[in-house]
Amino acid sequence: MAETKKTFYPSKEFDDNLDGLSAVLADEGWEIPGVAVALIAEDAAAQRAERAAHDAKRREYLALHEEFGLAQLARYKRFMAVLEALRGAFRDDKVVQAKLKEFSRRVGRTRKAADGPATKEEAA
């Protein structure tokens, strides 16, 4: 089985650190064997550009997520209004109440029998 590796994310100051290191290398004129100093400057510019694009997409996602949440809330309120009206209108009708029970909110996670025992006691 192939092992999946978790993506590494450096600290939030990485952009500034990369820029700073690039500036020090340029100011001092240092050359490091096996390292293309010019590539560090290119990396810093690419990091800033990609970070800006990433942050823009994240803001877009968060706005869409908020919009979805508000629309979902409105739909849920309408759903609950209809459900409560039906429960009240058919309060004494056991057949209808049984059908409406399907739409009750479930507390906790439900497990299928194939998933194994739900509690430690059942496992014993």
Side-chain angles (χ1 to χ4, degrees), residues 1-5:
M1 179 179 273
E3 184 178 323
T4 58
K5 293 186 179 184

Side-chain angles (χ1 to χ4, degrees), residues 80-91:
M80 286 305 299
V82 169
L83 188 58
E84 290 300 320
L86 289 171
R87 286 177 178 157
F90 296 99
R91 178 179 16 249

Side-chain angles (χ1 to χ4, degrees), residues 13-32 35-48:
E13 295 86 23
F14 176 67
D15 297 22
D16 296 332
N17 291 340
L18 188 58
D19 263 346
L21 181 61
S22 173
V24 168
L25 290 172
D27 290 347
E28 298 295 329
W30 291 335
E31 293 294 327
I32 294 130
V35 176
V37 175
L39 185 58
I40 299 298
E42 291 173 19
D43 285 347
Q47 177 71 20
R48 292 287 184 192

Side-chain angles (χ1 to χ4, degrees), residues 87-121:
R87 286 177 178 157
F90 296 99
R91 178 179 16 249
D92 298 323
D93 189 331
K94 291 183 179 185
V95 173
V96 173
Q97 289 297 322
K99 287 180 184 178
L100 296 177
K101 189 171 180 92
E102 176 183 336
F103 304 107
S104 295
R105 188 172 184 179
R106 288 158 181 74
V107 179
R109 290 182 55 193
T110 58
R111 289 183 173 257
K112 295 180 182 175
D115 289 342
T119 63
K120 289 181 183 177
E121 291 79 28

